Amino acid sequence: MNRFDYTSFLKRWLMVLVLLSAPVLRGLGQYYASAGNALRSAQASAGSNPTTESTVSLKDALHDLKKRFHLRFAYREGLLDGKTVSATWLHQEQAPEVILEKMLASCMLGYKQINKKQFSIFSTATADRTTGNAATSETSTETLAATETAAQEQAVAAAISGTVTSQDDGMALPGVNVIIKGTTTGTTTDSDGHFSLNAPDDGAVLVFSFIGFQTTEVPFSAGQTVVDVVLPVEMTSLSEVVVTALGIEKERSALAYSVTEVKGDEFTQARENNVANALTGKVAGVNATGLSTGPGGSSRIVIRGNGSLTGANQPLYVVNGMPIDNTTPGGSATTNGGAGNVDRGDGIGGINPDDIESISVLKGGTAAALYGSRAANGVIVITTKKGRAQRGIGVEYNGTFTTEKVSVYPDWQYDYGQGDNGVKPMTLADAVTTGRRSFGSKIDGTDFVAVDGLTHPYNAQRDNVKNFYQTGTSLTNTLAFTGGSDVLNYRISMSDLNSRSILPNSTYNRKTANVSINSKLGDRITVDATLQYNLEKAHNRPTAGDALGNPNWTPYMMANTADIRWIKPGYDANGNEIAWNDAPIASNAYFVANKFQEDDIKNRFIGQASVSYKILKSLSLKGVVSRDFYNYNYNYIVPSGTLYVPNGQLNNYKTDVAETNGMLTLNYNTQINDFSIAAFVGGNQRRYDYKQLNIAGSNFTIPYFYSTTNLATQSTTPLTQRTGINSIFGSADFGYKDMAFITVTGRQDWFSTLSPKNNTIFYPSIGGSFVLSEALSMPNTIDFAKVRASWAQVGGATPDPYAINLTYSMVPSSGQPLQNVTMDPTTQTNIITNPNLKPLTSTTYEAGFELQFFRNRLGLDVTYYDRKTTDDIVKTAITPTSGYNSVILNVGELSNKGIEVLLTGSPVKNGNFTWNVSYNVAYNKNKVVRLADGLDQIQMASSVNGWAYINNIVGQPFGTIVGTRTQTDANGNVVFNKTSGLPVATGLQNLGQGVPPLTMGLTNEFRYKNFSLNILIDGKYGNKIFSLMEVYATRLGKMKSTLPGRENGLDVSGVDQEGNPYSRTVPVSGLRVYYDNYKIYSDKFIHDGSFVKLRQIIFSYNIPVKNLKVLKLQSASISFVARNLLTLYKSTDNFDPEQGYTNSSAQGFESFGLPRTRSYGMNLMLKF
Amino acid sequence: MKKYNHPLSFGSLLLAACLVCSSCDKGFEEMNTNPDASPSVTPGYMFTKAQYDGASDLLVLLMGTMQYTTSYNDVAGFGSKYVTSQNTQAYGLFTTAYPKEINEIGEVIRAVEDDPTKVNLLSAARVWRVYCFSRLTDMYGDIPYSEAALGYVNSIYKPKYDAQESIYADMLKELDEAGSSFDASKPNFGNADLLYNGDVTKWKKFTYSLMLRLAMRMTKVSTANAEQWAKKAIAAGVIRDDADVADINYLNTGQVINQNPLSYNLLNSDYIRADGVSNTEGGKYQESFITFLKTNNDPRLPVLSIVYVNGSPDTTVAVQKGMPATFSAKPADFVTYSEPNPKTILKLDAPLSVLTNVETSFLLAEASLKGWYTTETASDLYSNGIRAAMRQWALFGAGGVIPNAKIEKYVSDHALNTAGTEDEQMEQIYTQFWVGVFPNAVEVFSTYRRVGYPALIPNNYAGNATGGQIFRRMLYPNTEQNLNAQNYNDALTRQGKDDFMTRMWWDTE
């Protein structure tokens, strides 16, 4: 019996945790199962078996058992692949052991019950050669597979045999993996726990491994022939786990707060360039918004409402347990900027979706308490894919191609065409003057002279938007290699993303290389390292905001009888901009696209390394160092010949940013009878360095030669920012059986950005959960019930250094030296520093419950939270008459209360067809409770020309849009100014909130055999949006609201400011000025920003690779994806409600960003 | 038994960690020190900055309102059509002055005020502060003054608006105190002073010239006050010699801040292409200005004005022609209209006049007419004003030199009509003031509102915001409604609606 039972075997079986999560989260594992189905069906239809029996994949069947009986299964990775069982077993009313045995037996499998709830599954078939190198979607802590080649076997010298038993109950253990250390030679125990193999005659070490038991090494000496082993039970419980703070995996039932996990393949199929955008609609309480800034643009994620009055309010991103930088180089785009007001992309946008294993969204304060202040807005924990031990090298290819087109077009008036005073242009000069005015005569098809100097018929040109923007494309290729042995596992991936924007001549390229290594050096030391290198290049990122240098302005604002292609290519023979309108700052879109040069390159390196040392069985020490470093080079050239700056401008940023973290933790885990304790203490040191050099200048001495050496005027401004946070923290989890859990954490932070007398804060958290279904007997319909509650504080400080002392800076001068008070580097305006700044506090109460009904066909997860931020550190605009433009203060109180509901269900579930539904909805009520004494509102942002503002006002929700209305008297009559004949505007009033309080997402997933269809609908309700585009469209006569009076003048009436009746007729010749003046009444441009969108459709087909053996494919799938397919509801006529263009906290303005698009694509995944 | 010690050891570990971290903020103070900034102010450098900033705060649109220039466009930036879009343009001075020169000069004053040896620095700073504030209040009326720019030192984030009357009273008091404090034996700003290189004697003249300007501003509203302060200023000595004029010299290369702000603005908003056709904002000299110069055979015309003929600037008088302000589209003969001369007014290194003997001469002429000043006759003062106005163009380089004979010819052709009424003489004086202090439209706008001259014919452009009248003031930025609403509303209660046609304190009917 010295031959191998398996030509392929595992050196060591390690845990594979079956993650039987919500159906929607189920990943590629399904594909294998379905592939098996297809195979069987194919055989059936071929007539080999006339009685077609309904089958389900073994995985699904186990999933069902798991949910019905709260069992946990562990098995070797790949063991279940392709195996199916009769669907009838799903519904049998028998003991789980009985069902399990029957099912497994039909698949040549057996099980070993490890404890009341846990089962280990193994193969009973000697012929089973399922190898472990098939990647699965299951969370694999580590899996090893050995090569099988007989040639690699060592010289057979002596036979060795023995029996393996469990320490727990003394029973024989079948299926235990036995291997000679350092070789690929090994076997498994038979059903009696017996094994035998050939071993070197000079002695070696045998390694015994089995799921649920500690891996044990037993040396044997030369001549020894019998080795009997007793395996101790592994303390680590096998259960559904999620990754929580500091990368710690926790059992879901032990969590005292709400965590949502999203699997990596949700991002790879229907992909967004920025992975954060793909969270839209998927997680209750997470408000994710992609921006209208094209490929390479940023995302804006807000979890449970905006908790800080003026801070970024975005969550902390953590990759493999360590924070990464998510800043936008040069800062977010402003709400009112002009040329070069671009979104330069954020940090999370650099993560390749294909490298992501899973994303956990930690919403509660308890989870966040361990990451410190920056986690006050929630944490998004990303776990990247890891290598696995396996036979040979696993190769995975993922390719995605998407195309996108503009999906939202403005609804302008096409009754009256280009011109002014009711007259169409008949000369080139008139055509230029009226290039953006649609106050001409009735559109009638007669001749007029257009801006190209030619005569054209006076016809409506409805397709300027369509004609200007092109079809955008995006192609991503990712190739990943995985492999490993018992000491070292690796995964290497390389990815290339190439995007062509819908904006002509605008591109984005991202290359990512990711290496992940984990290694076990002996018994006690584990080393993990992840290295990532990114190269991101963007060309001509689109400007948003004001008109100058904004290519999005022309297609919308060009007069409605002019074809935008008439101003192509936008420049003359000398390369100078051709005017298409009377305002030089309203740039020619083609000139901007063709001649403006905006390039940025980001070189980013993320490195992480951790060493873990097991001091005792229950005590280990772990050290982690991580560094996220990037250098960024941005060059923006406004070329010679630009109308608004004929001699050109240059703006260059060179930025080096590094976020470095070092963390040391001492971990202690033990089990005392029914009580478990998991505790750790640790310290973290964070350093952030931002070094920037800005070279700005104007007037190229030699025209068209764009170098800093050629600038008549230039200045160089350095910016050096350094901050640090030192922390110590501790956490303890106590568990009683699988029933009751308590978590206590505490953390003390020291902040470099605050003054030494106020720079530290301690903040604790406590949380508990109780699994009712374990403790009490429940009605039959309820399968699982858990309640949870927590209380947590998080302290924080200003992220900006140098905020406590006023300093003075030299101003570049060619003459006498000049000095100024040091300005805020982001706004370049004066800021009042504050030596008394103290840490802010954010306190969250949270309570919730989870229920599973009807054999887990229906699930409900409800959370209520109450989050309060006090002593917020606020950078607020103040009147410039104070001598400063902003001040930094500890003020006020901000409250967020909300409820999150997740409803999951499986309305249909039979062998071939399943339908799963997941609906999440969250309502967040936000209120500014208090600001400082004498301060009842603060300004967050202003629009171009101050036509509207975003304020935080006491008693109002965060981010209230503020502006004017048309003044009326008590009887509703419009009040006119007699002198000007124009309606009077009111003072500033609240016009609505800019952030939607209600968000929801509905996912329907259908699976039939090898096909699956995933449909996501999401919506947001209750916010307002102020449209700058409509302000201009009104001023320029493109809005339908400017039609009255075109023929015979506009009769207006009301009262004058003294209250006397007033009326007049605005002549046709005065209409433009009259409507132009509408810009001072903000409320005319306020819209409800609510929407419901058909966000995503993924249609996938698992290619049955077993029919394609020649290709050596493990698995393959092809998906057709569509994003932003349809807007089911919106109340904006001319733009998309999601037309934001800055990832700052100031949300609620729309202003000529890139239009929203609909995208279609195809995704191909191949595994070899 | 040993097992149960574990929770305790956990606790002691936590305790140990706390003790280890007793110096957990080591190095943080140094880390939080900006390596690119200085912890203390250098008064001279800050003063120079305040001078540049104060001098560059020009409301260029007033050149259109005062009918020097115009555009066929009605985009914001040209004040010749009184359209509503001009309101936002008028915000600029208000929003930039406070964080820049007003705050800077406050920093200078606080840095030197406690050191008696720095009295000349303090006095110059106080005078410059008055100059900057006077420009602001003359544009807007009531403005934050006593509580302005105290955001850092006194944590005043919402300064109250002071009544213009009290602002004038305080400004005059400041000038009085500073003027009498200058002490030639003590140190001065030296080269950091762009006006006079620290010359205390000249600073005194500037101080009293400014006092004269402010005094005369009050003739309509408070004649007695005006007379008292005017007499005081005249007695103390105002700028009379070319050598004493307050102007700032600039460079034609290098940083923008070192270049003449008016030339820079005109060039970059309009005339940089230098071809007379592709003017960015469509600007030209206005008809009323060029016609006046031409009709009066003014030797300044070729100094100030050119027409592009075959692509080259031509100063020939015969071809000079101003553009009517009534156009609403680019005229076909756009190139044939006059525009600023690149060899004088558009030079980036042209000097910028802050206060000159041109202005003092005309103010003195008015004082003489009123009988407040009897040492010289109104007629002589008037003629001297014209002479000084013509001579000053020599400072703009060779292209600006006007031969003395031409000056004298013009002076004799345009003598003050002493036989006329006081009003007729006032018209002559302030019409010459208009031509004489060109391009200082800000100052002309103030005297125009006070005396009603030059007798400009307002432009009644279709859809204008003022009913075809010239502005009486500029609008407060609408950010004030959002950031300082209570004080803003108090100012409106006192002064009237925030409107172009609302008259401020010294501008009574």
Side-chain angles (χ1 to χ4, degrees), chain A residues 1089-1107:
Chain A
S1090 305
F1091 67 85
V1092 180
K1093 285 186 177 181
L1094 177 53
R1095 178 71 64 187
Q1096 166 182 302
I1097 292 183
I1098 309 174
F1099 180 70
S1100 299
Y1101 174 61
N1102 289 307
I1103 300 162
V1105 292
K1106 290 191 176 164
N1107 295 343

Side-chain angles (χ1 to χ4, degrees), chain B residues 299 383-384 386-388 390-391 402-415:
Chain B
S383 296
N384 283 336
I386 295 173
R387 288 189 186 98
M390 300 228 182
R391 283 196 308 270
I402 299 170
N404 210 36
K406 282 191 176 177
I407 296 176
E408 290 309 321
K409 168 85 167 62
Y410 186 89
V411 166
S412 67
D413 287 351
H414 296 86

